[in-house]
Amino acid sequence: MDAGKVKFFPRREMLDLVVADGQARGIVARNMVTGALETYQGHAVVLATGGYGNTWYLSTMAKASNATAVWRAYKRGACFGNPCFAQIHPTCIPQSGAYQSKLTLMSESLRNDGRIWVPKKKGDTRPPQDIPENERDYYLERLYPSFGNLVPRDVASRRAKEMCDNGYGVGPTKLAVYLDFGDAIKRNGRHWIEEKYGNLFDMYHEITNEDPYRLPMRIYPAIHYTMGGLWVDYNLMSNVPGLYVIGEANFSDHGANRLGASALMQGLADGYFILPYTIGDYLATETFQSLKETDEPFQRTTKDVTERIGRLLSVRGKTPADDFHRELGKVMWDNVGMGRNKKGLEAALKEIPKIRNAFWKDVKVVGTADSLNSELERAGRVADFLELSELIARDALHRQESCGGHFRVESQTEEGEAKRDDRNFTYVAAWEYAGDGKVPKLHKEPLKFDYVKPSQRSYK
Amino acid sequence: MNFTLKIWRQKSREAEGGFKTYAVKDIPPDASFLELLDVLNADLIRKGEEPIAFDHDCREGICGSCGLVINGRSHGPHKGAATCEQRMRNFRDGEEITVEPWRAKPFPILKDLVVDRTAFDRIMLAGGYVSVRTGGAPDANAIPIPKPVADEAMDAAACIGCGACVAACKNASAMLFVAAKVSQLALLPQGQAERVERAERMIAQMDAEGFGACSNTYACEAECPKKISVTHIARLNREFIRAKLI
Ligand SMILES: Cc1cc2nc3c(=O)[nH]c(=O)nc-3n(C[C@H](O)[C@H](O)[C@H](O)COP(=O)(O)OP(=O)(O)OC[C@H]3O[C@@H](n4cnc5c(N)ncnc54)[C@H](O)[C@@H]3O)c2cc1C
Ligand code: FES
């Protein structure tokens, strides 16, 4: 940027993709200070707009993180890959009340030294320090003797939920398990823990008002990352020529189950090692019609965006957009969360359109289109979450196997582990928009493994 | 908990602003300061009034976007925490709380509590980066960095660019911000190649943006949510003098 090669436009939100002659040629963005719609024309478009974890409302994602850019691109023809693959992180600070706006992650590294446990007795209300060693169930160590507390995120998350569902949860909401550093502090001393995790311990203390040096932390799983995203090829281009998608916004690299730290790896790989080499080929070999921002494709798309904003402002209902988002989040977490089954997914597919209809009848967006209006921004994003969520549920329903972060209750081993079905599901599900109210079209991209063979995971 | 909030409202950059008073009720003590504003905003929307505009994103003290002056203090009374990390239990039940945007010429108010902090972006553009092309990754142990040095660089790197230092300073000086950025890179081998230009250019940009000079009151250190020490300002001064001599 300092060299003048890249220009930065802060406080702009992309609200649509401009497709001309079948190629992605620009975007329509809203100036979030003046409200003006601006068009930007180019020979290709690169989206790096992040994941869609906030579809579930409560997640570890930043509050402004949203799916509008990818969803608008989807509605302009880009396929959405594996939308149901979302990662649920096991070590988040549990929700403490209905007012809560987001969840805070405690770093994964804590599981190196912390031991996870619940009381052996159901509904035990004693404070943790009064529960003797032999009445504690270190369930991950018991179930997975060789991996113990270091099992992958999906397994640790699911087991925590299972413990709580079965009545062993702890803390005021009973939706938490302990992450205990007592042994580590005894073994290495408080100073050693401070050096290693001091910041995290302070953060936990601030949020919960409990001192984790004295009492075990309480943790619970939360939505953290979305492996699904816009479908791209090996050059990171979507099926819309000239539309590139990088980072968490695309579906690539992580399959159904991202491993720790690999999201930043993907950021580097996509943005530094791949895209600079692949996009040049597209620019050099394609032919482009000359196009101005006053031309029809830009005018048409700007008109669509204007109408949509007008629609949001004209509902003039009674309920803030956030209320609909919370309601959606609950449906998603209960039915399209850690353990998914046919009944729940079908219920979600009924509930979501109901919330969406209620939104378009009753949402209240105060303020105007031509000024800084965070409510308008929020409402537009919630409207998109209310559509994307349906695709997520649909994809989860269609994938009848358990696979990575996607756990279908009907597809498990006798020991309650995820059971894959490679015969029927060794493919990427790429969904193509078919029009509002229509069932999207499913494309299956077969997965071919030359060197490794997919097999049942075991952490025993 | 119940609170009376005196909040700065201002329609736009050009409009004149003023305080408005609001009552909020039944706030759980564990709620964060931004969640308090969420509750108030939901009430305002239901009444058909414009909600209070404020910036926020990560809500866990890492993005630097949420700065507010609460009861005259950058990010509020609780030390070492950004506005989003302030918990209502640290306030008194029934307290009257005054909420203002950052007040400094180089941070013009865009609306209510939202300010334009792109002055910081421009300072960063003037040298707050390393432009070496990396090529293949070198062996991690090839260039040993003593732990105290690495720790000090990390302490400087904790800066989230929120602007609390500017808002706290009677001169609206950005010295602590610039110091953190310059110091972090000056301490590490990667920062050496551009060390001289960095100190000169970032300071020149800071002055051009209209930030004031440092008169050593240390208000910045007292209010920094990341507890960044003014010793980094001393290093910035050394870097600047060094740049002039080399
Ligand atoms: C709390 C937390 C901790 C994490 N820790 C780790 C870790 O330790 N290691 C690891 O590897 N990964 C970690 N991750 C995951 C990793 O940080 C993310 O996957 C990664 O940052 C995604 O990068 P990105 O550039 O693709 O998207 P993002 O960083 O999400 O950036 C997307 C940007 O696009 C902007 N944007 C979105 N929509 C629009 C629009 N319509 N118009 C304009 N702009 C838009 C957003 O505002 C944002 O700035 C963590 C994630 C979280 C939430
Ligand atoms: S919202 Fe990110 S630091 Fe407060």
Side-chain angles (χ1 to χ4, degrees):
Chain A
M1 277 164 67
D2 194 11
K5 288 188 193 166
V6 178
K7 227 168 140 188
F8 181 50
F9 298 92
R11 294 193 193 267
R12 302 296 198 290
E13 178 167 29
M14 169 190 167
L15 291 179
D16 217 333
L17 177 75
V18 178
V19 180
D21 246 5
Q23 295 167 323
R25 288 298 301 271
I27 62 164
V28 176
R30 183 170 175 272
N31 180 320
M32 294 155 86
V33 179
T34 65
L37 293 183
E38 300 169 351
T39 47
Y40 296 90
Q41 188 269 128
H43 292 104
V45 173
V46 181
L47 294 184
T49 50
Y52 51 91
N54 277 343
T55 315
W56 283 260
Y57 191 78
L58 283 181
S59 81
T60 65
M61 318 284 288
K63 286 296 281 181
S65 167
N66 71 94
T68 288
V70 290
W71 191 248
R72 294 288 123 199
Y74 165 77
K75 294 186 92 168
R76 296 282 173 201
C79 287
F80 212 112
N82 297 331
C84 80
F85 290 164
Q87 175 169 78
I88 294 176
H89 198 294
T91 56
C92 302
I93 300 183
Q95 188 183 358
S96 71
Y99 65 87
Q100 201 150 334
S101 58
K102 79 157 273 185
L103 296 170
T104 305
L105 177 74
M106 290 279 98
S107 161
E108 185 103 75
S109 60
L110 291 170
R111 285 201 279 148
N112 282 321
D113 291 294
R115 297 179 70 196
I116 294 175
W117 63 276
V118 291
K120 278 189 181 160
K121 204 172 82 200
K122 261 189 200 183
D124 197 333
T125 51
R126 287 175 293 175
Q129 65 274 29
D130 294 349
I131 302 178
E133 202 51 38
N134 62 358
E135 291 178 39
R136 300 176 175 193
D137 179 10
Y138 294 91
Y139 57 88
L140 289 179
E141 298 172 21
R142 169 170 61 80
L143 291 167
Y144 307 101
S146 56
F147 279 71
N149 295 297
L150 297 177
V151 289
R153 291 177 179 176
D154 64 311
V155 179
S157 293
R158 212 165 48 243
R159 291 300 183 187
K161 175 177 156 44
E162 189 179 278
M163 287 294 155
C164 297
D165 287 351
N166 292 339
Y168 299 97
V170 301
T173 59
K174 301 288 167 212
L175 285 178
V177 299
Y178 289 126
L179 175 62
D180 198 334
F181 292 86
D183 285 350
I185 292 175
K186 243 181 263 156
R187 189 176 62 233
N188 298 315
R190 178 178 164 131
H191 180 71
W192 185 82
I193 291 282
E194 259 171 21
E195 277 273 297
K196 228 170 148 179
Y197 308 115
N199 281 346
L200 292 165
F201 273 51
D202 290 349
M203 192 156 117
Y204 181 86
H205 196 159
E206 284 294 329
I207 294 176
T208 63
N209 208 19
E210 278 178 13
D211 178 4
Y213 291 105
R214 285 183 38 245
L215 293 169
M217 286 184 178
R218 284 174 293 113
I219 54 163
Y220 198 65
I223 291 280
H224 177 59
Y225 184 89
T226 45
M227 283 77 74
L230 292 185
W231 182 90
V232 289
D233 62 15
Y234 280 107
N235 293 338
L236 299 175
M237 188 162 85
S238 72
N239 56 306
V240 176
L243 176 66
Y244 289 81
V245 191
I246 61 175
E248 193 171 339
N250 73 27
F251 89 110
S252 71
D253 286 17
H254 309 295
N257 208 15
R258 179 172 84 87
L259 300 173
S262 62
L264 300 179
M265 175 287 296
Q266 183 190 5
L268 263 180
D270 287 4
Y272 195 87
F273 293 109
I274 303 175
L275 186 69
Y277 302 95
T278 59
I279 198 168
D281 180 55
Y282 175 78
L283 296 174
T285 54
E286 272 300 305
T287 47
F288 300 94
Q289 58 159 319
S290 88
L291 192 63
K292 287 193 298 294
E293 282 153 31
T294 45
D295 289 343
E296 196 270 339
F298 281 91
Q299 296 298 317
R300 178 172 26 97
T301 313
T302 308
K303 191 166 153 270
D304 289 350
V305 174
T306 313
E307 275 172 15
R308 202 176 136 76
I309 292 175
R311 243 182 104 199
L312 283 166
L313 286 166
S314 66
V315 179
R316 295 205 181 87
K318 289 192 294 293
T319 311
D322 209 46
D323 287 19
F324 296 101
H325 194 183
R326 282 178 196 266
E327 203 182 331
L328 172 69
K330 184 157 172 20
V331 170
M332 290 299 285
W333 182 244
D334 290 346
N335 301 294
V336 201
M338 263 182 287
R340 302 155 172 189
N341 60 42
K342 183 163 183 284
K343 197 165 144 251
L345 292 166
E346 282 171 350
L349 284 172
K350 283 214 190 71
E351 277 308 306
I352 295 165
K354 276 195 214 154
I355 305 174
R356 192 167 59 229
N357 290 340
F359 172 91
W360 283 107
K361 278 209 191 82
D362 192 38
V363 72
K364 176 147 201 144
V365 184
V366 203
T368 58
D370 59 357
S371 64
L372 194 161
N373 187 343
S374 28
E375 240 349 82
L376 178 62
E377 293 159 20
R378 191 196 313 260
R381 295 169 191 169
V382 172
D384 287 338
F385 285 135
L386 283 166
E387 295 182 5
L388 165 59
S389 50
E390 194 174 332
L391 185 67
I392 299 172
R394 189 179 297 285
D395 184 44
L397 180 64
H398 119 278
R399 190 169 284 275
Q400 291 165 12
E401 64 163 350
S402 292
C403 175
H406 169 64
F407 187 77
R408 275 296 293 263
V409 178
E410 300 93 336
S411 177
Q412 51 181 307
T413 65
E414 268 165 29
E415 288 153 326
E417 301 297 344
K419 191 166 138 209
R420 35 194 313 138
D421 176 359
D422 291 318
R423 220 160 55 93
N424 293 308
F425 290 100
T426 312
Y427 61 81
V428 173
W431 298 89
E432 185 187 347
Y433 178 64
D436 279 333
K438 299 222 174 71
V439 176
K441 188 164 173 231
L442 173 62
H443 301 272
K444 298 178 180 178
E445 182 192 18
L447 293 169
K448 227 179 107 228
F449 295 88
D450 287 335
Y451 300 105
V452 285
K453 285 274 163 272
S455 61
Q456 183 67 39
R457 286 187 287 158
S458 169
Y459 304 103
K460 291 270 161 211
Chain B
M1 300 175 85
N2 301 328
F3 301 99
T4 306
L5 299 174
K6 255 178 74 184
I7 302 179
W8 185 263
R9 304 292 318 246
Q10 181 171 334
K11 269 209 156 333
S12 65
R13 192 170 172 154
E14 298 76 27
E16 201 164 309
F19 284 104
K20 261 194 99 166
T21 306
Y22 303 91
V24 277
K25 291 203 169 65
D26 300 326
I27 302 296
D30 284 338
S32 72
F33 199 83
L34 298 186
E35 286 165 345
L36 167 88
L37 294 181
D38 289 344
V39 171
L40 173 59
N41 274 348
D43 278 356
L44 291 176
I45 295 167
R46 281 198 188 85
K47 284 194 237 156
E49 288 176 43
E50 267 210 53
I52 291 141
F54 62 92
D55 267 337
H56 64 108
D57 199 8
C58 73
R59 295 205 174 192
E60 52 182 82
I62 51 182
C63 75
S65 65
C66 63
L68 301 176
V69 176
I70 303 169
N71 283 343
R73 310 272 311 264
S74 304
H75 291 300
H78 197 61
K79 278 210 152 205
T83 300
C84 57
E85 298 173 290
Q86 299 281 340
R87 300 281 149 182
M88 295 323 293
R89 74 175 95 86
N90 295 324
F91 293 82
R92 255 183 311 106
D93 192 14
E95 188 170 343
E96 180 179 285
I97 306 172
T98 310
V99 191
E100 299 163 84
W102 281 172
R103 293 207 187 271
K105 260 223 189 83
F107 291 159
I109 296 173
L110 297 176
K111 182 173 182 174
D112 297 341
L113 305 173
V114 178
V115 301
D116 177 355
R117 290 180 302 130
T118 47
F120 270 13
D121 294 345
R122 290 185 292 271
I123 295 177
M124 287 305 280
L125 273 184
Y129 55 82
V130 172
S131 62
V132 200
R133 301 220 177 256
T134 50
D139 177 49
N141 295 321
I143 312 170
I145 300 169
K147 186 156 188 306
V149 177
D151 281 352
E152 217 175 327
M154 277 302 277
D155 287 347
C159 169
I160 54 176
C162 62
C165 44
V166 175
C169 176
K170 64 185 165 83
N171 309 326
S173 168
M175 280 291 268
L176 192 62
F177 167 72
V178 179
K181 301 303 172 192
V182 166
S183 186
Q184 175 202 340
L185 296 176
L187 284 160
L188 296 174
Q190 295 92 323
Q192 300 313 307
E194 287 150 319
R195 189 171 166 187
V196 172
E197 307 90 89
R198 178 177 304 113
E200 284 186 328
R201 287 187 62 206
M202 287 182 82
I203 287 182
Q205 190 63 37
M206 173 179 88
D207 292 341
E209 296 289 346
F211 291 103
C214 173
S215 50
N216 294 305
T217 62
Y218 299 175
C220 50
E221 180 183 290
E223 302 288 69
C224 173
K226 297 292 147 185
K227 301 182 181 164
I228 291 173
S229 155
V230 290
T231 55
H232 293 290
I233 295 185
R235 182 173 294 108
L236 173 65
N237 287 331
R238 278 205 301 283
E239 287 299 308
F240 186 69
I241 294 167
R242 182 177 175 276
K244 292 286 167 219
L245 294 177
I246 282 178

